[in-house]
Each structure stands twice: as structure tokens, then as C-alpha cells.
């Protein structure tokens, strides 16, 4: 019999399971705390449970193995990348960023991605599979354990499209912010989407207080379509309409992400069009000089050009920042560490 993935059970679900075992309710609290506050890797660790209960749990449930396969620390800004091997051998990346306001972890939501954005390394080999709630949660738990530091902020901006793994993503948000678990404030959580309109609309109805980030990357439909295949499915106007509704429903200001690629979307006309598009919207614009990806032909603009672009938008009243590049010395762009590691493994096998 396949064992059940206990870390994906939310508190209420776990309480029911424990009750069905004939155990007292406080046992559920203890087990949940082991799994979600202390990041236990095994039932043996749960020393305040009886041996027989631990044995029973391990017969029915599993805490799926998540092995640290590689860890890289940036010499520049102490950003760290973690590569985890999942129980089926798949690899995922997570990033820890240390800020003055606290530690932020960037989690992956899928193994690979099927969105096909032209400049992105994560999508080159397509989608392998969705991550379970436990696999998204445990990226954070493992990093807390490995570093012995507390994580206060989460960004769902690693490999994968969270709204393409909707149910698991939403369960993750509930569980990471639940008072029985790490209790990370939803206001400290940002999730980024390439613009899947039905998912954005559904998300605005969940009653969350998380920040929604939209990967915009172009100021008109035609250009966006060239960079992001998802734009063939959802027109820019529709996507922006869903952002406006998200703000209306949640009161949370939407963040727009715009990766600057030299000669592609960083011209004066782009800046003008982008200003027009965002003018009057209560939003924040994040400019990200594109991370060059070996397999792709995009280059970042020089820093003077990027600042000119920023200034033009600022003059037009847009709330804009250039995202400080973090960990650029450690396979900066999404999915690059995973790709390099997997390629190395293949070479070894050959
Ligand atoms: N699928 C989601 C979240 C993952 S990507 C999304 O599309 O938003 C997180 C952000 O990194 C997105 O804005 C994505 O467009 C951007 N990104 C991907 N590859 C990049 C690269 N090489 N350089 C700069 N930004 C990149």
C-alpha cells in the first residue's frame, strides 16, 4: 500500500486522522508541530509520542525524503541557493535571500514548467510534474533547519507556474500562514504568475492577503505574445483587468514584473507605452535586468540604460524600482543550478 503524504494534510485533516486512530486531540497538535514547526524528517524524532504511535504512523504515512543535493552561497550578498532531490529523484531549486527586514525564501511550485517563456531556463525541458503541498512547504522547513535561521517572507517565484498547480499552491498558502504551523503572515507572501486569467480570478476569491505579482515583460499584446506563449491564450487587456479586480477584492496592490532585455523591451517607446499602461493603477513596477541564460539569446541592458528606463517611468508617476540582483555569481537565473546539476549527472552516467 502506498503511504500517505502526511505533511500535505492541513491541521483539520490531520486532527481527523488522529481522531480516527483513537488518539486524544492534543496528539494532533504535537504531530503537526513536529512536522510544520520543527520540520521533522522522521517519526522517530517525535519523542513525546509513544513508540507504538510512532510505529503506527510510520506504517500508514510517510514524510517523503527531501535530500539536499547542492548548496551555493553568494560571495556578494549572502544569498544562498539550495538544490533538493525529491523522493522520486527529481530536483528542485529554492533560494534564501537575507534582507534587513528578514529572511525570504523563493520556492518552486512545479518540477519544470510548461509556460514556455522565451527568456526562462526553467521551461526549457517542459513540465515534469506538479509539486505537492508538502514539497512546497518543506523547501522552507529544510532551509530553516539547514541554516538555523527563521524565515519570515516567502515568494513563489521559483521554477513553475503556481496557478498551473492551483489546488496545491492554495493549500500551501493556507498551511504556511496557519497559526498551527510557521504562521508566516500572508502580507509577507508574494506569488508570481505569468497571467493565467481564470486562476487569477479564482485567487482573488480565496480571501487571502498575499501580494499578486504579474509577469508583464511587454507593454503591448503583440510583443508580449512573442515573449510569452501564455499571451496567446489571454489578451493583455484581460490580464490587466484581472489584476485590477484582484486589487479591488483584496485591497492588495499588485506588483508588475518586467524583465529588461537589451533591444527587446527596453527602448524609449517601450517606456512610454508601459507608462501609459500603468498610469492611474495603484501598483508597483519591478524592473529586473534579464538574467542571461546559456540556451537563450537575451542580454541585460547596461546599468545606465536600465536607470534611464526607470527614470522615464518615475517621471510619469509610476511607482518603480530596479530589483537589486541577488546572488548573480551563483547561477542567478531561475532553474540554472538545477539544469547544470542534472547535466553533470547525465555526463557522469554516460
Ligand atoms: N511562473 C511564474 C513564476 C516563476 S518565474 C511567473 O511567470 O511569474 C519568476 C519571475 O522571473 C517571472 O517574472 C519570470 O518572468 C522571471 N524570469 C524568468 N527567467 C528570467 C530571466 N532569465 N531573467 C529575468 N527574469 C526571469
Amino acid at each position: 500500500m502506498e503511504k500517505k503524504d502526511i505533511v500535505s494534510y492541513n491541521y483539520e485533516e490531520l486532527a481527523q486522522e488522529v481522531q480516527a486512530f483513537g488518539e486524544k486531540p492534543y496528539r494532533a497538535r504535537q504531530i503537526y508541530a513536529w512536522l510544520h514547526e520543527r520540520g521533522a524528517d522522521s517519526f522517530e524524532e517525535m519523542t513525546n509520542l509513544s513508540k507504538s504511535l510512532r510505529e503506527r504512523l510510520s506504517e500508514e504515512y510517510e514524510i517523503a525524503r527531501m535530500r539536499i543535493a547542492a548548496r551555493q552561497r553568494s560571495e556578494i550578498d549572502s544569498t544562498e541557493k539550495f538544490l533538493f532531490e525529491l523522493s522520486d529523484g527529481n530536483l528542485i531549486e529554492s533560494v534564501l535571500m537575507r534582507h534587513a527586514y528578514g529572511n525570504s525564501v523563493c520556492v518552486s511550485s512545479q518540477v519544470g514548467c510548461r509556460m514556455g517563456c522565451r527568456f526562462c531556463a526553467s521551461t526549457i525541458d517542459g513540465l515534469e510534474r506538479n509539486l505537492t503541498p508538502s514539497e512546497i512547504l518543506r523547501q522552507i522547513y529544510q532551509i530553516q533547519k539547514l541554516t538555523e535561521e527563521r524565515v519570515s517572507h516567502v515568494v513563489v517565484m521559483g521554477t513553475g507556474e503556481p496557478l498551473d498547480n492551483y489546488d496545491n499552491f492554495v493549500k500551501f498558502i493556507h498551511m504556511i500562514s496557519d497559526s498551527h504551523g510557521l504562521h508566516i503572515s500572508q502580507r509577507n507572501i508574494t506569488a508570481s504568475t505569468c497571467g493565467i486569467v481564470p486562476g487569477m480570478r479564482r485567487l482573488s476569491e480565496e480571501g487571502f492577503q498575499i501580494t499578486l505579482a504579474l509577469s508583464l515583460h511587454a507593454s503591448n499584446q503583440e510583443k508580449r505574445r512573442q515573449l510569452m506563449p501564455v499571451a496567446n491564450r489571454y489578451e493583455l487587456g484581460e490580464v490587466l483587468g484581472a489584476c485590477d479586480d484582484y486589487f479591488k477584492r483584496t485591497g492588495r496592490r499588485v506588483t508588475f514584473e518586467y524583465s529588461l532585455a537589451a533591444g527587446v523591451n527596453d527602448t524609449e517607446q517601450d517606456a512610454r507605452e508601459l507608462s501609459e499602461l500603468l498610469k492611474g493603477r495603484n501598483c508597483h513596477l519591478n524592473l529586473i535586468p534579464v538574467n542571461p541564460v546559456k540556451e537563450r539569446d537575451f542580454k541585460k541592458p547596461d546599468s545606465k540604460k536600465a536607470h534611464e528606463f526607470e527614470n522615464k517611468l518615475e517621471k510619469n508617476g509610476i511607482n518603480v524600482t530596479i530589483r537589486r540582483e541577488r546572488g548573480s555569481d551563483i547561477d542567478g537565473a531561475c532553474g540554472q543550478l538545477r539544469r547544470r546539476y542534472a547535466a553533470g549527472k547525465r555526463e557522469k552516467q554516460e
Side-chain angles (χ1 to χ4, degrees), residues 96-138:
L96 169 69
M97 291 161 284
R98 295 176 169 94
H99 301 283
Y101 57 77
N103 286 342
S104 172
V105 167
C106 174
V107 295
S108 293
S109 56
Q110 295 179 313
V111 181
C113 181
R114 57 175 177 165
M115 294 298 127
C117 299
R118 303 276 180 249
F119 42 82
C120 180
S122 295
T123 200
I124 294 173
D125 291 328
L127 176 68
E128 184 64 35
R129 69 168 174 87
N130 283 329
L131 292 182
T132 60
S134 68
E135 288 166 333
I136 312 179
L137 289 164
R138 294 190 72 226

Side-chain angles (χ1 to χ4, degrees), residues 157-176:
M157 285 195 190
T159 295
E161 167 53 46
L163 301 184
D164 189 38
N165 182 16
Y166 190 88
D167 293 341
N168 291 347
F169 160 67
V170 162
K171 194 166 193 192
F172 160 75
I173 299 291
H174 275 295
M175 290 174 76
I176 196 70

Side-chain angles (χ1 to χ4, degrees), residues 106-107 109-110 113 115 117 119-122 156-163 191-195 213-217 228 257-260 288-293 296 298 323 333-334 336:
C106 174
V107 295
S109 56
Q110 295 179 313
C113 181
M115 294 298 127
C117 299
F119 42 82
C120 180
S122 295
V156 187
M157 285 195 190
T159 295
E161 167 53 46
L163 301 184
S192 179
T193 178
C194 61
L214 174 79
S215 296
L216 185 61
H217 303 322
M228 307 174 73
E257 291 162 281
Y258 191 100
S259 298
L260 281 172
I288 315 152
V290 78
N291 254 309
V293 172
R296 297 286 189 256
F298 292 96
R323 189 187 293 166
C334 319
Q336 295 207 85

Side-chain angles (χ1 to χ4, degrees), residues 96 102-104 144 147-153 182-184:
L96 169 69
N103 286 342
S104 172
Q144 285 207 148
T147 59
E148 297 179 4
E149 291 174 46
R150 216 177 83 80
V151 172
S152 56
H153 291 66
L182 281 194
H183 202 186
I184 293 179

Side-chain angles (χ1 to χ4, degrees), residues 17-48:
E17 297 280 309
V18 170
Q19 198 184 13
F21 267 35
E23 292 286 339
K24 298 246 161 52
Y26 76 92
R27 290 289 180 208
R29 277 198 298 281
Q30 287 177 323
I31 299 168
Y32 202 84
W34 275 110
L35 296 172
H36 297 276
E37 287 176 53
R38 299 157 94 158
D41 291 303
S42 72
F43 295 108
E44 289 92 81
E45 288 170 51
M46 305 183 181
T47 44
N48 55 358

